[in-house]
Amino acid sequence: MSRLPVITKRVLTSSNSENSHHLAPAPKKVRREQEPQRCPTAVTVIGDKRPPVASGRASLYKSVRGAGAATVAAGPSRGETGGTGAPRRQAWDLKGKVSDMEGKIRNYQTKVRSVNEENELLKGSVAQSQIGYEVELQALCGVREDLKHMTSEKNCLQRELSDLEAKYKVMETLRDSQEAELQTLKMKLSVQDSTVTRLQTSLTNAQEEVRTLKETVVEQKDELHAGEMERRRLHNMIQELKGNIRVFCRVRPLVDGGLSSHIQLAPSDNKSITLAKTEESHTGKSADTHKNYHFSFDQVFGPHASQQQIFEEISLLVQSALDGYNVCCFAYGQTGSGKTYTMEGEEFDDSRGVIPRAVQQIFRAGEKLESQGWEFNFTASFVEIYNETLRDLLYTGKPSKRPEHEIRKSNNEVTVTNLTYKQVCSEGQVLDLIALAKQNRSTAQTAQNDRSSRSHSVFQLQIEGANAGRDVRCKSTLCLVDLAGSERMVKSQSQGERFKEMTSINSSLSNLGIVITSLANKESHVPYRNSKLTYLLQGCLGGNSKTLMFVNISPEPDSFGETLNSLRFASKVNDCVIGTASSNKK
């Protein structure tokens, strides 16, 4: 800020005063003191309004200007008399003029001192004002920055407001469309509710009808089951009265499924089977001839029959073992016809054969009879006939120390010497023994079967029961036999050891046929001792036993001859009368 000008006056020295009377008085020139210039004030303009000037500054300017005016006014003008009002001196009165001049100088010096004092006061005031102005300026700069910041925030908020207004308009449009859609959905929902109500009513009526039909079906199933059980009971009774060996026929499916055209099964008759064959004329003059061979058995199972269906037909027979009856079941047929599968099956539940299912039924039925006071003891054995030699399939010792076995008969009971008899008390123990016997059994690969059984296997489960409360005891034997298959050397291409096995198998099966024929003809002498097989099965074929035979046949056309022989043999067995079995109860 600019400072006020300082007025300086020249002061006359003593030399000048001494010589003043020698000098003519010079015309006086009065210097008009300049008015102090106003300091520019920093004014912050906010909008169109200016801030009011502080009252202190206004009073300061007034005092300064007033003092300057008084000073200038105090000085005499050119041509006027002195401050004393004395008249103008004459030109020759130099001393008076000097005296007047000295008075004026003193007056001027007093004024200069007052002006300097005022100047110093003004400098202090200006300094204080400058400090206040700087503080106010800094405050105003901060306000300006705040104003800029607020302005930018205002602009941002205005932009956001604009965006929100645009979004709000979009949301309003979307809300209107959704409200319209909601109304449409409400109308559809009301229609759907009425439809659902109608359907629920229909569903309730249908469920009630289904429940009624299910109850009817259950009742009919119960009646059907009861009728089937009664049929089986009467059938068993008839067979017991007849005393015949029951025969079931089972047809193995083809490798690719289905049934061969030369085997005919009546859909409405499950007891008959027909073999059809077309023979060419030997002379060539006559047309080809068609021959049909009809056979009837107690039951015929097609290629689609399951293991469970087959076992259901013999379950009553197995149950008889717990009632004190000796029971025997064996499978007969050519090699590869499915005998081992029928008797042993596979490890899966649905594929298990007759032997594991029979063991399961025996133990479960025995557990149920325990609640009636019965206690049972079970003893298992497993033997095979290989090349007319008995072999213990449960033997676990060294092969070099394997003992020899002989068949002996005493008190109408057939036993085997040195045979392993295992006491068993659960189904799992018996299944473990069956698995062990399966590993030890003699099998080999032939041209007709990859795993052909080369021996006859006989599983026996001796059952002893006692009811202490009623003082009743029973004893029976469940005998399950898997015979080796008959073979023809041309088809099986057996050589060496396989040829020897084939000869032994066919010989034992031939002896079995001779025994069956002798029993059918009611001959006085039946040659059981001709073969180890017939000798071991003597009690089942001609003794006090309920006996059933499975005849398994292959569906391939090239097995027609073997199939025909098997069915003929099965017919002889079915006609064989062995007498009515009786219960071994005491």
Side-chain angles (χ1 to χ4, degrees):
M1 299 176 65
S2 61
R3 296 182 179 180
L4 293 176
V6 179
I7 300 175
T8 58
K9 296 287 183 174
R10 289 183 298 177
V11 181
L12 294 178
T13 59
S14 60
S15 61
N16 290 335
S17 65
E18 293 178 355
N19 297 323
S20 61
H21 62 275
H22 298 289
L23 296 176
K28 295 181 180 180
K29 294 183 181 180
V30 181
R31 183 180 299 175
R32 183 173 295 179
E33 294 181 2
Q34 298 178 358
E35 295 183 359
Q37 297 179 357
R38 294 184 180 180
C39 299
T41 305
V43 179
T44 302
V45 180
I46 301 176
D48 295 332
K49 296 182 180 181
R50 295 177 179 269
V53 180
S55 60
R57 278 183 282 174
S59 61
L60 178 64
Y61 282 122
K62 287 180 180 181
S63 62
V64 173
R65 294 184 64 180
T71 303
V72 175
S77 62
R78 183 178 296 179
E80 293 181 353
T81 59
T84 60
R88 185 172 183 180
R89 294 181 184 277
Q90 296 296 325
W92 53 263
D93 193 2
L94 294 175
K95 188 177 181 178
K97 291 182 180 178
V98 169
S99 178
D100 294 338
M101 186 65 66
E102 289 177 351
K104 289 181 180 179
I105 289 173
R106 285 191 297 271
N107 192 14
Y108 281 131
Q109 287 178 350
T110 302
K111 291 181 180 179
V112 166
R113 283 193 299 270
S114 64
V115 168
N116 288 334
E117 290 175 357
E118 290 179 1
N119 190 18
E120 292 298 327
L121 292 174
L122 289 175
K123 286 182 179 180
S125 299
V126 168
Q128 292 179 357
S129 299
Q130 187 175 3
I131 293 172
Y133 292 158
E134 289 178 356
V135 172
E136 290 182 0
L137 182 61
Q138 291 178 358
L140 290 176
C141 290
V143 171
R144 181 181 295 175
E145 293 298 327
D146 293 341
L147 181 60
K148 289 182 180 179
H149 180 67
M150 295 299 294
T151 303
S152 62
E153 286 186 354
K154 174 188 172 184
N155 294 334
C156 293
L157 291 175
Q158 285 180 346
R159 288 194 296 271
E160 291 181 359
L161 180 60
S162 300
D163 295 339
L164 291 176
E165 288 177 349
K167 290 181 179 180
Y168 177 72
K169 291 180 180 179
V170 174
M171 295 300 293
E172 280 186 338
T173 305
L174 181 60
R175 183 199 63 186
D176 295 338
S177 62
Q178 288 183 348
E179 285 181 352
E181 185 177 359
L182 180 61
Q183 294 297 329
T184 304
L185 291 175
K186 284 182 178 180
M187 295 177 61
K188 291 183 179 180
L189 182 60
S190 61
V191 175
Q192 292 294 331
D193 287 339
S194 60
T195 304
V196 168
T197 303
R198 186 176 68 255
L199 291 176
Q200 284 180 346
T201 304
S202 302
L203 179 61
T204 303
N205 297 333
Q207 287 178 345
E208 184 65 24
E209 185 177 356
V210 168
R211 186 182 63 80
T212 305
L213 291 176
K214 284 184 177 180
E215 292 177 355
T216 304
V217 169
V218 170
E219 292 176 358
Q220 291 179 351
K221 283 185 176 180
D222 292 340
E223 293 177 358
L224 182 62
H225 181 70
E228 179 66 17
M229 292 298 102
E230 182 66 16
R231 183 196 68 79
R232 292 182 181 183
R233 188 183 66 82
L234 294 175
H235 177 72
N236 287 335
M237 185 181 298
I238 292 173
Q239 293 299 321
E240 290 176 2
L241 294 175
K242 288 173 59 178
N244 292 7
I245 299 176
R246 277 169 283 184
V247 177
F248 288 171
C249 177
R250 186 178 190 184
V251 183
R252 179 180 61 79
L254 291 169
V255 176
D256 55 353
L259 183 65
S260 181
S261 60
H262 69 279
I263 298 179
Q264 300 175 4
L265 300 176
S268 59
D269 186 7
N270 59 355
K271 298 181 181 299
S272 63
I273 182 173
T274 301
L275 295 184
K277 185 177 182 181
T278 301
E279 295 182 354
E280 297 180 358
S281 175
H282 297 289
T283 60
K285 296 180 181 180
S286 60
D288 296 342
T289 58
H290 298 275
K291 286 187 177 182
N292 294 329
Y293 301 91
H294 301 279
F295 298 93
S296 295
F297 302 104
D298 294 281
Q299 191 77 25
V300 177
F301 298 98
H304 301 294
S306 65
Q307 299 280 67
Q308 178 64 29
Q309 291 175 343
I310 290 175
F311 183 74
E312 285 178 355
E313 292 297 328
I314 67 170
S315 59
L316 289 179
L317 183 66
V318 175
Q319 184 67 33
S320 299
L322 287 176
D323 297 334
Y325 292 91
N326 293 328
V327 176
C328 179
C329 178
F330 63 95
Y332 176 89
Q334 72 179 97
T335 182
S337 59
K339 300 182 301 300
T340 303
Y341 179 77
T342 299
M343 297 304 295
E344 297 181 6
E346 297 176 353
E347 295 180 358
F348 305 103
D349 291 340
D350 294 339
S351 302
R352 295 194 305 169
V354 171
I355 295 177
R357 290 177 186 271
V359 170
Q360 182 184 56
Q361 179 176 341
I362 287 293
F363 279 95
R364 290 184 179 181
E367 291 177 357
K368 292 181 180 180
L369 290 175
E370 287 180 357
S371 61
Q372 302 178 13
W374 283 93
E375 293 182 0
F376 292 95
N377 294 321
F378 303 96
T379 304
S381 64
F382 222 130
V383 64
E384 73 170 351
I385 303 173
Y386 175 74
N387 289 342
E388 285 298 308
T389 302
L390 295 176
R391 297 177 61 184
D392 186 3
L393 294 180
L394 301 182
Y395 178 75
T396 57
K398 296 181 179 180
S400 59
K401 296 184 179 181
R402 181 183 293 273
E404 296 182 357
H405 306 281
E406 295 182 359
I407 301 175
R408 293 182 181 179
K409 182 179 180 181
S410 61
N411 299 327
N412 293 326
E413 291 185 2
V414 178
T415 59
V416 180
T417 61
N418 300 323
L419 189 63
T420 301
Y421 291 94
K422 292 286 188 179
Q423 293 286 336
V424 292
C425 56
S426 66
E427 174 189 354
Q429 291 180 345
V430 179
L431 295 181
D432 291 341
L433 296 179
I434 293 175
L436 175 62
K438 190 174 182 179
Q439 294 178 357
N440 295 332
R441 189 177 179 187
S442 300
T443 58
Q445 182 178 3
T446 64
Q448 290 182 280
N449 191 357
D450 292 338
R451 187 176 174 82
S452 176
S453 300
R454 313 309 293 170
S455 64
H456 311 297
S457 67
V458 180
F459 169 76
Q460 288 185 335
L461 184 65
Q462 297 178 2
I463 305 172
E464 294 183 3
N467 192 327
R470 297 183 180 182
D471 194 18
V472 178
R473 296 179 179 275
C474 66
K475 185 177 181 180
S476 61
T477 301
L478 175 64
C479 185
L480 303 175
V481 185
D482 179 21
L483 298 177
S486 59
E487 298 181 15
R488 293 294 179 266
M489 186 180 66
V490 177
K491 292 184 178 181
S492 64
Q493 300 178 4
S494 299
Q495 296 179 357
E497 190 67 24
R498 302 287 88 80
F499 179 78
K500 181 180 179 181
E501 294 169 352
M502 180 196 69
T503 303
S504 176
I505 292 170
N506 291 338
S507 174
S508 61
L509 293 178
S510 298
N511 287 322
L512 178 61
I514 293 173
V515 169
I516 294 296
T517 302
S518 300
L519 292 173
N521 296 332
K522 298 181 180 181
E523 296 179 0
S524 58
H525 175 70
V526 179
Y528 292 112
R529 294 178 178 269
N530 288 356
S531 147
K532 295 289 181 64
L533 175 64
T534 55
Y535 195 17
L536 185 62
L537 298 180
Q538 180 178 352
C540 302
L541 298 176
N544 184 24
S545 176
K546 292 184 177 182
T547 305
L548 180 142
M549 184 185 81
F550 280 101
V551 55
N552 295 79
I553 60 176
S554 299
E556 287 79 11
D558 57 353
S559 299
F560 183 88
E562 288 295 323
T563 300
L564 182 60
N565 291 334
S566 297
L567 293 178
R568 285 173 175 171
F569 176 77
S571 295
K572 291 181 180 181
V573 173
N574 201 20
D575 293 336
C576 182
V577 179
I578 60 176
T580 303
S582 59
S583 177
N584 298 320
K585 287 186 177 181
K586 297 180 181 179

